[in-house]
Amino acid sequence: MGKAAADVFIDGGLDRIDDCVTLSVCSAQPANYAGIAAVMLAAVALTAGAGNGDYTKANGDTSGRKLTVAQQAAIAITSSGTATHVVLDDGTDIYVTTCTSQALTSGGTVTVPAFDIEIADPA
């Protein structure tokens, strides 16, 4: 017997991520929401919900489904340090991914390119 999942089941996980209202560029991986403040170098507000401009859901590149987080341009840098992580948060929970290591200087700006979060079909 094969394995399968309707898109609605996979989208459930992505729907939780697109509830996030802040994107933070950080110098390390925070352990939880409270830990973001200690490592945040820059942050920008997002509008929650797929299809609003900040998030778009679609079929995955190879299978399953993906959520694309739109490019966030010219985010004000509030602390100097080396960016290594991007954190999405909903005010309680976090989703963390890595980014290309880059030195950031307070007073400048940083652009986070669009990126995908993909959940594959069961195999």
Side-chain angles (χ1 to χ4, degrees):
M1 173 139 320
K3 298 177 185 178
D7 287 349
V8 67
F9 292 108
I10 297 172
D11 282 352
L14 299 175
D15 288 343
R16 185 68 183 95
I17 297 168
D18 76 22
D19 285 340
C20 292
V21 294
T22 307
L23 180 149
S24 300
V25 179
C26 297
S27 61
Q29 179 177 336
N32 51 38
Y33 174 73
I36 294 172
V39 295
M40 184 177 67
L41 304 174
V44 64
L46 301 175
T47 303
N52 64 26
D54 285 329
Y55 298 103
T56 305
K57 278 190 286 189
N59 287 326
D61 293 336
T62 56
S63 76
R65 300 284 286 162
K66 69 179 175 181
L67 180 71
T68 300
V69 180
Q71 174 181 292
Q72 303 298 314
I75 305 168
I77 301 169
T78 55
S79 295
S80 296
T82 301
T84 58
H85 291 78
V86 173
V87 180
L88 301 173
D89 78 77
D90 64 1
T92 303
D93 296 312
I94 63 174
Y95 177 90
V96 182
T97 190
T98 57
C99 63
T100 302
S101 181
Q102 179 180 354
L104 302 182
T105 303
S106 182
T109 62
V110 62
T111 294
V112 176
F115 62 95
D116 293 338
I117 300 165
E118 192 158 344
I119 301 174
D121 285 330

